[in-house]
């Protein structure tokens, strides 16, 4: 979908604000994410690390899981703010793809500059999707 400049600005602000709440004392890599869902509502997430390292969670999955827990089933766009405009990890791509392979993905750095605008489909070619599970 074509996002307006206003929508992008709102999502960037929301993700940047969430990033301020990231809990990343181990990696020191703060990530904020904002998801635009089917209803038009925005959901945010920040990465949350843990002394037991694998128990942490990425910002994107915090945001998409909150959206789903609140009743959303479609994702239209995801904005991720990091120090350097880094892209979502593979596990986050997979989690997001379940709800919107055509979602726009906008990568933003700490100065709020957009470093890339792409889609989930481009980031996760030949994604494994619900329809790939044989019916039983
Ligand atoms: N991280 C995210 O929040 N999203 C990603 O897509 C990549 C990595 C977090 C996980 C960890 O807290 C830190 O960044 C360093 O990997």
């Amino acid at each position: 979908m074509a996002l307006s400049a206003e929508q992008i600005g709102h999502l960037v602000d929301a993700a940047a604000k969430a990033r301020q709440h990231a809990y990343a004392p181990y990696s020191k890599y703060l990530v904020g994410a904002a998801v635009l869902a089917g209803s038009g509502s925005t959901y945010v997430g920040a990465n949350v690390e843990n002394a037991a390292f694998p128990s942490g969670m990425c910002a994107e999955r915090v945001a998409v899981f909150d959206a789903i827990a609140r009743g959303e089933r479609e994702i239209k766009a995801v904005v991720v703010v990091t120090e350097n405009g880094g892209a979502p990890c593979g596990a986050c791509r997979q989690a997001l793809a379940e709800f919107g392979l055509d979602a726009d993905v906008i990568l933003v750095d700490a100065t709020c500059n957009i470093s890339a605008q792409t889609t989930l489909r481009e980031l996760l070619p030949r994604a494994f999707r619900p329809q790939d599970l044989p019916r039983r």
Side-chain angles (χ1 to χ4, degrees):
M1 92 183 244
L3 293 167
S4 68
E6 193 185 343
Q7 281 177 307
I8 293 175
H10 164 74
L11 291 166
V12 170
D13 284 352
K17 204 167 280 173
R19 182 171 178 262
Q20 292 176 355
H21 300 297
Y23 177 75
Y26 308 106
S27 72
K28 313 223 183 290
Y29 190 71
L30 310 179
V31 186
V35 162
L36 176 65
S39 72
S41 292
T42 298
Y43 301 85
V44 299
N47 55 331
V48 182
E49 298 184 348
N50 193 280
F53 289 1
S55 298
M57 184 48 66
C58 290
E60 298 90 324
R61 275 177 286 167
V62 171
V64 68
F65 293 165
D66 184 40
I68 298 310
R70 290 176 191 277
E72 303 285 358
R73 288 294 183 269
E74 187 200 350
I75 280 168
K76 293 179 166 174
V78 186
V79 170
V80 186
V81 180
T82 59
E83 187 181 315
N84 56 355
C89 76
C92 286
R93 295 177 196 200
Q94 181 65 35
L96 292 162
E98 180 86 8
F99 304 105
L101 203 50
D102 288 308
D104 289 301
V105 179
I106 298 174
L107 308 179
V108 177
D109 68 23
T111 65
C112 282
N113 272 322
I114 294 178
S115 60
Q117 180 158 2
T118 180
T119 62
L120 214 43
R121 193 179 288 281
E122 194 168 67
L123 290 177
L124 195 63
R126 300 192 61 176
F128 187 79
R129 308 221 56 217
Q131 51 268 36
D132 293 315
L133 282 175
R135 287 195 184 277
R136 303 203 192 280

